[in-house]
Amino acid sequence: MNYRSFVQRHREEWKRLEELIQLLHKNRRQWAPKHLEEFQRLYQKVTQHLAYSQTYFAEEETTGYLNDLVTKAHNMLYQESTSNWKQVKQMFGSSFITLIGEQWKFVVISMLLFFLGGLAAFLAVYQDPMSLYTILPDSIAQAVDPSRLGSQDGGVNSPVMSAEIMTNNIQVAFLAFAGGVTFGLLTVYLLIYNGIIVGALAALFMVHGKAYDFWAYIVPHGIIELTAIFIAGGAGLLMGYKLWVPGKRTRSYQLKTYAYRSVLLLIGTLPLFIIAGIVEGYITPSTLSLEAKYAFAFVTVLGLLAYVIIGKINAGKTKEVHGS
C-alpha cells in the first residue's frame, strides 16, 4: 500500500477517534457503552496504523500525527488508573527523552545557532578586545574584570543567587520556546544573542590568560544549563518551522499540534534548570579548586548521559508494553 492510499483509506477512522477523544474530554459521564466500545476498537486499530506508518512511512508527517493521536487516546483510556505521580514519573522517566529523540534535529539546530553567535563574537573580541564594548551591553561589558575572577569565592549569598539564576534561566527558556509563535525568529535571535555573550566573554578571558579559570566557573553549571536552553530553543524552532512550512495542513492545526509537543519539551527542561541554578549558586562561587570544578562538570556530563540512556531503556519497555 502506498502512502496516499494508506492515508485515504484510514483518515476517517483517525478523524472519528479525534472526535471521541474530544467528547470524552468534555464530559465522561455522557458516554454511552457504545461510545466506549467504539473508542477501544478505534484505539486498537489506530495503534496498528501507527506501527505500520512507523515501518513504511517513518519520515512522513502522518507518522507524527498518529503518534500524538495514539498517545492522547492512551492517556484518555488509562487516565483513571494512572495517578498523577505515575504520569510525572513517565514524563521525566521516558516521554521527555522520546520527544527529544523525535525532535533532535531542531535541538541540534538550536545548538548550532548558539555556537554560531559564540564563534563570531569570540573571533571579534579575540582580534580586538575593545570590540567587547560594541558587542555586549554596557551593563555586562563594564562589570567584567578578568583580574577579579574568583575574588568573591565563598562570599556570596548562595540561596538568593541560586533562586535568581533559576528564575532568569527559566525566563530565557520560556522566551526561546514562546518565540516559536513569531515563526521562530525570536528564538533564533535569543539563541544567537546568548551565544554572543558567552563567546565574547570567553575571548576576553583568553586574551588575559584566564581561559582555564573562566571555563572552570562556566562548565559546572553550563553543561546542564546549555543543554536545557538548546532543548527549549529546539521546541521554539519546531513550532516556528511548522508555521513556516505547514505542509498539507493549516497553520492553526500545526500550531495546535506542535505547540503541545513543544510545551512538553519545555516542561521537561525545568528540572535541568533547577539543578543548574543550584550548581551555579553553590558550586560555581564556592572555594573549591578549579580542578574540582572541572571534575564536577565531568560528573554532570556522566549524569546527563545516564539520564538519556535510562530514559531510552524506559521508553523501550513502555513501547513493548503498549505493543503487547
Side-chain angles (χ1 to χ4, degrees), residues 7 17 32 40 67 83 86 91 96 108 165 170 178 185 192 197 200 206 284 302:
V7 174
L17 182 58
Q40 291 181 332
N67 185 66
S83 66
K86 287 183 179 179
M91 168 61 191
F96 179 53
V108 170
I165 290 168
I170 290 172
L185 297 178
I192 294 177
I197 293 175
M206 177 172 281
T284 299
L302 295 179

Side-chain angles (χ1 to χ4, degrees), residues 17 21 39 43 47 68-82 90 318 321-322:
L17 182 58
I21 290 173
F39 181 86
Y43 168 66
T47 300
D68 287 341
L69 184 60
V70 168
T71 299
K72 290 177 184 177
H74 177 271
N75 292 340
M76 196 66 70
L77 188 62
Y78 297 102
Q79 187 173 6
E80 292 184 348
S81 61
T82 304
Q90 182 178 350
T318 302
V321 171
H322 292 170

Side-chain angles (χ1 to χ4, degrees), residues 15-39 42 69 72 76 79 256:
K15 182 178 178 182
R16 178 54 181 164
L17 182 58
E18 279 192 88
E19 293 172 352
L20 290 173
I21 290 173
Q22 293 176 359
L23 179 62
L24 177 59
H25 184 72
K26 287 180 181 179
N27 195 336
R28 184 183 294 266
R29 293 180 181 178
Q30 291 184 356
W31 271 50
K34 64 177 182 179
H35 289 146
L36 289 171
E37 292 177 3
E38 184 182 11
F39 181 86
L42 286 174
L69 184 60
K72 290 177 184 177
M76 196 66 70
Q79 187 173 6
K256 178 181 176 181

